[in-house]
Amino acid sequence: MSNYHIKHLEEYFQVYRRSVRNPENFWEEIAEEHFLWRKKWNKVLEWDFTKPEVKWFSGAQLNITENCIDRHLHVRGDKTAILFEPNNPDEPAEHISYLELHKRVSKFANVLKDKGIKKGDRVVIYLPMIPELAVSVLACARIGAIHSVVFAGFSASALATRINDCEAKMVITSDGSYRGAKTIDLKGIVDEALESCATVDKVLVAKRINSDIQLKENRDEWLQPLLDEAYGDCVPEIMDAEDPLFILYTSGSTGKPKGMMHTTGGYMVYAAYSFKNVFQYREEDVYWCTADIGWITGHSYIVYGPLANGATTVMFEGVPSYPDYGRFWEIVQKHKVTQFYTAPTAIRALAKENLDFVTKYDLSSLKVLGTVGEPINEEAWHWYNDHVGEKKCPIVDTWWQTETGGIMISPIPFSTPTKPTYATLPLPGIQPALMDENGKEIKGNQVDGRLCIKYPWPSMARTIWGNHQRYKDTYFSAFENMYFTGDGALRDEVGYYRITGRVDDVIIVSGHNLGTAPIEDAINEHPAVAESAIVGFPHDIKGNALYGFVILKETGESRDRNNLRNEINQQISDKIGPIAKLNKIQFVPGLPKTRSGKIMRRILRKIASNDLSNLGDTSTLLNPEVVDQIIKEAL
Ligand code: PRX
């Protein structure tokens, strides 16, 4: 994908203006370049944000795996497609060439077909970061099955919710996973989840840790013997551009997680286009994104975007702290990584450690650094720039969402001058707007407001699986004819964007989206708890951490507080996963509420952050006296 190798800011503005003047021409040109379409589209774009309905490249047909694998075979068949770096540094890395990937994906696809999986069926993938994860994703796409990867840190209950929501027929998992010095019993978690899932009739199990697990008869099978038997070629299913490619769950501020549904053609075009431009990938480069494929970052920028560009993409199984805090940099040196993309929370954690962990490695191969998932603070930005990039690698602070499918606002290296904490400018084709609380667009610079996107882009999610009304209510109802992101942002004097954080009840902890409502639901299920409210407060590594205000039932009042805290966190861990545990739990006699009964989280946020200025007028509350008491006992 050549497309735009934008080299100067002036060139960016030219391209950007053209993309806004005639978006359909702009995207059509990109789609025509280098992709393999089995049939061309009749129309580039049809859209109506009031329904909302968006279709890109209607009438076109393709298979995304032909674009990610087959079309590279003649030109770069022996090139490494996936470079797998295991958790244990003593285990050799695995270089999977495009030819080998073709064979592995084909075999896996044939196994899926053999087990009765057809186009449109949902397959839930619950795997660690091992090659089978990428291969199974691509195998689903090969046959038109809809993959839904669930991050293998989620609990059995969270996994079951997702399986049931998309009515998956199959689960792909492993006998366990390595995470630093620990192992995790993934198969046990799947077994527990499946006790409450009626739709799954097959479980394929990859062998990773050689643990002694039980296979359930007529349901579970080891994957490897099936792959060994399978034929190494699989004719790709021809998909319509708007056929679903995957469902990926993301937390909402209320209720159960939202299954964001992405479709095939537009997603492919945008993942490939944004990858190429944001990372300026060149043929000899070795690109590494440290995310997990269980998140959208891994979907778009470990699997689809890089492979659509014929890139070498590193897949790392482990954690940044194992066997020591130098692991990331050791891998950069070992594989001569050229582009490195990670999360601010990882940077903050590593910046706390001895600088020797960085300086003892040769990082001179690096050309571009990236961050994603949450705002990066100035200190972390400078540490990354000074010690990892050695001041010669532009940092792309990429703003986007599960819903957007690809990077929306980001510098383009060597073209856009970077500015710490700013995601800077929209990629060509993306039209952001800042809105005020009355629904009016705020024009001009040096302003702030709610971040919306006013024109469709190819990789936007098309719906929430099984709940189009929720899709409309969440994203298209706050502002007329706009996609609302849920984020606040400011635009500085030159038009650069800085994302200031969520304006809804989603809290980003270590780069993970956590909705307050599901966590509160989990806490409230504890028999001693009457009611609870969760807010975020600043944390120097996680970005935000969670603070829970909990009202106990009478039966809980006599209990030991620390035991209760542990039990509440265990409850959250069981229902959602350890990532959602609370850092602080304060037991309170009541919660500040409006007269209509709505919890005033604004006040709780201030208390949790120990910022007692401007608490606002509390006299209009239903129970103003409770605020003083909460402040007095704040942790
Ligand atoms: O609040 C924004 C924050 O992460 C949210 C999206 O989370 P998720 O769907 O899990 O996707 C994360 C990976 C794309 C956004 O609404 N966010 C993401 N990137 C940035 C960011 N906040 C500030 N700066 C960023 N670069």
Side-chain angles (χ1 to χ4, degrees):
M1 256 262 319
S2 71
N3 193 41
Y4 296 108
H5 262 308
I6 294 167
K7 287 192 206 66
H8 309 284
L9 198 53
E10 208 27 63
E11 201 181 330
Y12 160 83
F13 282 119
Q14 278 168 17
V15 176
Y16 187 79
R17 279 192 294 268
R18 197 158 63 72
S19 78
V20 173
R21 247 193 332 265
N22 195 335
E24 294 188 30
N25 270 3
F26 175 80
W27 289 114
E28 181 157 44
E29 262 178 39
I30 292 171
E32 272 170 352
E33 218 183 340
H34 295 284
F35 295 104
L36 191 73
W37 300 92
R38 290 298 192 103
K39 184 166 163 274
K40 281 287 279 290
W41 45 90
N42 311 317
K43 256 182 122 34
V44 175
L45 171 66
E46 293 150 272
W47 68 293
D48 178 349
F49 274 178
T50 61
K51 283 184 177 168
E53 188 178 272
V54 175
K55 290 184 184 163
W56 282 92
F57 311 115
S58 281
Q61 292 188 323
L62 72 153
N63 184 287
I64 195 168
T65 68
E66 277 196 304
N67 283 275
C68 289
I69 307 172
D70 303 49
R71 84 190 150 104
H72 303 310
L73 297 181
H74 293 297
V75 271
R76 48 178 82 87
D78 293 323
K79 176 176 175 177
T80 300
I82 295 176
L83 202 174
F84 172 63
E85 173 68 26
N87 176 66
N88 178 352
D90 297 331
E91 195 182 316
E94 200 180 331
H95 294 252
I96 303 169
S97 69
Y98 275 93
L99 274 163
E100 175 68 17
L101 184 63
H102 180 263
K103 192 165 90 194
R104 288 171 72 162
V105 169
S106 299
K107 279 175 168 269
F108 208 132
N110 284 326
V111 169
L112 294 178
K113 283 212 282 202
D114 193 47
K115 297 293 160 199
I117 300 296
K118 295 185 298 299
K119 178 177 174 182
D121 287 344
R122 274 80 61 207
V123 173
V124 162
I125 302 172
Y126 187 72
L127 279 172
M129 282 285 285
I130 55 177
E132 286 81 352
L133 173 50
V135 171
S136 60
V137 159
L138 293 162
C140 287
R142 187 76 172 179
I143 66 167
I146 303 170
H147 57 77
S148 186
V149 184
V150 177
F151 172 61
F154 277 118
S155 69
S157 153
L159 174 61
T161 305
R162 287 156 175 78
I163 292 171
N164 286 331
D165 186 75
C166 71
E167 298 173 294
K169 276 180 80 171
M170 175 187 271
V171 175
I172 302 170
T173 189
S174 68
D175 60 348
S177 66
Y178 294 119
R179 217 181 142 67
K182 286 193 287 197
T183 56
I184 299 165
D185 174 21
L186 292 190
K187 176 62 168 46
I189 296 173
V190 169
D191 288 343
E192 191 186 331
L194 290 186
E195 281 170 22
S196 53
C197 301
T199 56
V200 173
D201 51 32
K202 264 278 158 259
V203 178
L204 300 183
V205 188
K207 206 168 233 176
R208 177 58 184 141
I209 66 167
N210 290 313
S211 62
D212 186 20
I213 58 158
Q214 300 292 315
L215 294 190
K216 186 170 169 190
E217 233 182 285
N218 298 326
R219 189 194 71 181
D220 305 348
E221 270 183 276
W222 287 114
L223 178 63
Q224 195 55 48
L226 300 172
L227 291 173
D228 291 343
E229 292 290 306
Y231 185 53
D233 199 5
C234 173
V235 178
E237 184 80 27
I238 301 307
M239 308 291 284
D240 287 341
E242 281 297 331
D243 277 340
L245 174 64
F246 65 85
I247 300 166
L248 187 60
Y249 286 88
T250 186
S251 306
S253 51
T254 55
K256 60 180 182 178
K258 299 172 290 191
M260 304 315 306
M261 192 196 83
H262 285 279
T263 58
T264 308
Y267 174 81
M268 172 184 77
V269 169
Y270 197 81
Y273 155 84
S274 52
F275 173 78
K276 180 74 184 175
N277 283 291
V278 171
F279 298 103
Q280 295 290 305
Y281 185 84
R282 304 291 162 113
E283 190 64 43
E284 302 307 317
D285 289 349
V286 175
Y287 160 89
W288 180 19
C289 165
T290 70
D292 192 289
I293 293 175
W295 311 114
I296 190 69
T297 309
H299 281 58
S300 302
Y301 301 112
I302 296 179
V303 182
Y304 289 115
L307 296 179
N309 281 279
T312 296
T313 175
V314 175
M315 235 185 118
F316 175 45
E317 184 185 25
V319 292
S321 53
Y322 179 81
D324 63 37
Y325 288 97
R327 187 70 194 277
F328 273 3
W329 321 123
E330 187 239 333
I331 296 172
V332 168
Q333 171 181 291
K334 177 174 168 190
H335 298 303
K336 299 197 169 46
V337 171
T338 44
Q339 288 90 353
F340 178 75
Y341 190 30
T342 196
T345 188
I347 299 169
R348 285 191 296 264
L350 295 173
K352 275 193 131 43
E353 302 301 324
N354 196 319
L355 204 52
D356 290 351
F357 285 121
V358 190
T359 51
K360 73 175 176 204
Y361 295 106
D362 175 6
L363 305 182
S364 61
S365 55
L366 288 169
K367 297 195 286 192
V368 175
L369 301 177
T371 69
V372 59
E374 58 185 311
I376 181 163
N377 50 309
E378 198 140 352
E379 203 184 339
W381 193 97
H382 283 295
W383 184 88
Y384 200 29
N385 188 44
D386 294 353
H387 303 297
V388 180
E390 294 163 3
K391 294 202 171 93
K392 63 180 177 44
C393 302
I395 296 177
V396 290
D397 175 348
T398 63
W399 173 82
W400 58 298
Q401 309 178 295
T402 306
E403 294 85 338
T404 70
I407 295 167
M408 304 287 278
I409 304 181
S410 165
I412 293 179
F414 315 111
S415 154
T416 321
T418 59
K419 178 174 177 182
T421 77
Y422 281 74
T424 75
L425 296 168
L427 292 192
I430 302 304
Q431 301 188 31
L434 294 180
M435 307 297 290
D436 71 17
E437 284 181 19
N438 304 317
K440 269 190 62 182
E441 183 171 353
I442 309 165
K443 302 262 172 125
N445 289 341
Q446 281 193 297
V447 292
D448 64 85
R450 292 169 180 232
L451 180 62
C452 289
I453 313 289
K454 54 184 170 185
Y455 198 86
W457 64 100
S459 64
M460 61 191 294
R462 303 294 196 259
T463 191
I464 291 175
W465 184 260
N467 198 344
H468 197 66
Q469 186 62 42
R470 187 173 180 201
Y471 176 69
K472 180 175 175 171
D473 294 345
T474 311
Y475 304 107
F476 297 91
S477 301
F479 302 99
E480 209 181 325
N481 242 347
M482 296 266 174
Y483 165 82
F484 175 45
T485 64
D487 282 333
L490 61 81
R491 196 160 50 218
D492 76 357
E493 62 289 353
V494 298
Y496 274 17
Y497 287 88
R498 175 184 183 167
I499 312 304
T500 47
R502 303 289 308 188
V503 294
D504 56 11
D505 289 331
V506 170
I507 306 169
I508 313 249
V509 178
S510 299
H512 303 314
N513 255 5
L514 299 173
T516 50
I519 302 175
E520 288 162 6
D521 290 346
I523 299 172
N524 298 348
E525 279 181 32
H526 189 287
V529 171
E531 200 184 348
S532 61
I534 302 299
V535 296
F537 69 99
H539 185 277
D540 60 356
I541 291 179
K542 300 176 175 192
N544 293 299
L546 298 178
Y547 194 126
F549 296 89
V550 176
I551 306 175
L552 291 174
K553 289 182 188 158
E554 235 168 86
T555 50
E557 285 297 344
S558 57
R559 301 268 322 268
D560 177 83
R561 295 296 194 254
N562 278 335
N563 284 346
L564 274 173
R565 287 192 178 97
N566 291 339
E567 286 172 23
I568 287 171
N569 264 332
Q570 189 55 46
Q571 180 99 3
I572 295 171
S573 206
D574 292 346
K575 288 276 155 195
I576 301 166
I579 49 175
K581 281 196 199 170
L582 310 183
N583 259 53
K584 292 184 181 177
I585 300 177
Q586 179 180 352
F587 296 102
V588 294
L591 293 166
K593 288 190 179 168
T594 61
R595 293 195 182 270
S596 60
K598 194 168 175 291
I599 297 171
M600 291 290 284
R601 286 172 203 279
R602 190 178 50 77
I603 293 176
L604 294 176
R605 270 195 289 269
K606 290 222 159 214
I607 298 174
S609 320
N610 199 16
D611 167 16
L612 301 178
S613 60
N614 300 322
L615 273 188
D617 181 10
T618 54
S619 65
T620 56
L621 291 176
L622 195 62
N623 48 354
E625 70 291 346
V626 89
V627 175
D628 291 334
Q629 195 159 348
I630 297 177
I631 292 174
K632 219 163 56 207
E633 292 167 8
L635 302 169

